[in-house]
């Protein structure tokens, strides 16, 4: 049985992302993906990936200039799977405090704040946080190396607790509701939300495209979910 996906996943080009690394990662696992900032292409996609590298405020200004803020909100409201990567995950939040206060897409209630640079017990080693760290379910309910039942049906399904992902960031997301946290990661003595989910909207602070075979599985899982929903909608339309 082939694991190649059919259908289209759109990678949103708003001038701030490692677009072609994400595209190559998708292609390497058989995902039919395109890079675009065309509104209708994004609205028609079976799944949408919002990558990002850089400053939150500039990213939101670029999205506004392209008139993509309402488009991405429509994608989320329509039930289309939406995956934010690194800065793209942070943009899903209500606001960021990076170099001032900036409104986000507000798809997941909460804010984006800086990793602590100095705190009791030397919470982190240094900022920015660059390197490989393990991801676990919240509260560490599953031992390392075991599959996580709570991740079933999400982009992290088929990943085991404790798998390592690659991070490059100075800020992290704080969802208002703890049940939006999909995984946590420890950096020094400090634990932060490393992925989150609300309905069809998922965010990963780490870079799956730079995280080896485990990271690539996230793109495969995301696309598989998008294709399943698209095929279900197609069958319903024929009924």
């Amino acid at each position: 049985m082939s694991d190649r996906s059919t259908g289209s996943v759109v990678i949103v080009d708003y001038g701030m992302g490692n677009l072609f690394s994400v595209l190559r990662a998708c292609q390497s696992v058989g995902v039919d993906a395109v890079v675009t900032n065309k509104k209708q292409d994004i609205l028609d996609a079976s799944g949408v990936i919002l990558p990002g590298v850089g400053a939150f405020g500039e990213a939101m200004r670029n999205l506004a200039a392209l008139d993509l803020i309402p488009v991405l909100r429509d994608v989320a409201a329509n039930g289309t799977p939406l995956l934010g990567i690194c800065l793209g995950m942070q943009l899903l939040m209500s606001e960021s405090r990076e170099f001032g206060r900036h409104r986000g897409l507000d798809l997941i209630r909460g804010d984006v704040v800086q990793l602590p640079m100095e705190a009791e017990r030397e919470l982190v080693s240094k900022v920015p946080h660059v390197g490989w760290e393990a991801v676990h379910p919240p509260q560490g309910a599953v031992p390392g190396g075991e599959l996580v039942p709570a991740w079933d049906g999400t982009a992290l399904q088929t990943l085991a607790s404790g798998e390592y992902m690659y991070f490059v960031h100075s800020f992290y997301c704080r969802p208002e509701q703890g049940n939006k946290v999909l995984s946590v990661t420890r950096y020094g003595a400090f634990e932060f939300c490393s992925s989150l989910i609300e309905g069809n909207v998922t965010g990963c602070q780490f870079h799956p495209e730079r995280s080896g075979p485990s990271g690539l599985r996230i793109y495969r899982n995301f696309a598989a979910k998008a294709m399943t929903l698209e095929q279900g909608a197609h069958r319903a339309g024929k009924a």
Side-chain angles (χ1 to χ4, degrees):
M1 178 179 176
S2 171
D3 63 1
R4 290 191 64 84
S5 302
T6 58
S8 63
V9 168
V10 159
I11 302 166
V12 181
D13 179 7
Y14 60 103
M16 295 187 66
N18 49 342
L19 301 170
F20 293 101
S21 294
V22 175
L23 177 62
R24 285 194 295 270
C26 288
Q27 292 172 337
S28 73
V29 294
V31 176
D32 180 13
V34 295
V35 175
T36 185
N37 58 21
K38 294 180 180 178
K39 297 184 214 177
Q40 199 58 52
D41 288 348
I42 296 170
L43 289 169
D44 290 344
S46 56
V48 175
I49 298 174
L50 182 66
V53 175
F56 190 104
E58 182 182 358
M60 288 301 297
R61 286 191 293 273
N62 287 4
L63 289 173
L66 293 166
D67 197 26
L68 292 182
I69 292 175
V71 172
L72 291 169
R73 288 174 175 161
D74 284 346
V75 165
N78 292 339
T80 301
L82 171 61
L83 175 63
I85 301 295
C86 196
L87 175 60
M89 167 175 163
Q90 296 174 8
L91 296 174
L92 304 175
M93 308 303 289
S94 303
E95 70 171 20
S96 172
R97 300 182 186 182
E98 182 183 11
F99 308 120
R101 298 185 75 163
H102 307 278
R103 296 296 296 171
L105 294 171
D106 200 26
L107 301 179
I108 299 177
R109 300 292 299 172
D111 61 4
V112 180
V113 296
Q114 188 172 29
L115 287 165
M117 299 179 71
E118 295 181 17
E120 296 179 6
R121 300 184 304 279
E122 297 181 355
L123 285 180
V124 300
S125 301
K126 63 179 181 177
V127 176
H129 170 208
V130 180
W132 295 82
E133 306 291 346
V135 297
H136 298 276
Q139 287 87 46
V142 176
E146 293 189 15
L147 296 180
V148 181
W151 290 350
D152 288 349
T154 76
L156 270 60
Q157 69 180 7
T158 74
L159 269 67
S161 176
E163 294 205 48
Y164 279 77
M165 298 292 165
Y166 188 77
F167 291 82
V168 182
H169 66 119
S170 299
F171 289 75
Y172 70 100
C173 297
R174 298 191 304 186
E176 285 185 1
Q177 297 177 291
N179 63 0
K180 308 304 180 189
V181 177
L182 189 59
S183 71
V184 295
T185 292
R186 188 166 291 276
Y187 181 44
F190 183 69
E191 186 176 84
F192 63 92
C193 170
S194 53
S195 67
L196 45 73
I197 189 167
E198 182 164 358
N200 55 304
V201 178
T202 305
C204 297
Q205 185 61 66
F206 50 86
H207 287 273
E209 70 281 356
R210 299 179 66 180
S211 299
S214 296
L216 293 179
R217 290 205 302 273
I218 291 175
Y219 288 118
R220 182 184 290 115
N221 294 338
F222 172 76
K225 179 71 171 179
M227 297 309 110
T228 298
L229 291 175
E230 182 181 62
Q231 289 163 8
H234 183 69
R235 287 194 296 269
K238 284 187 169 183

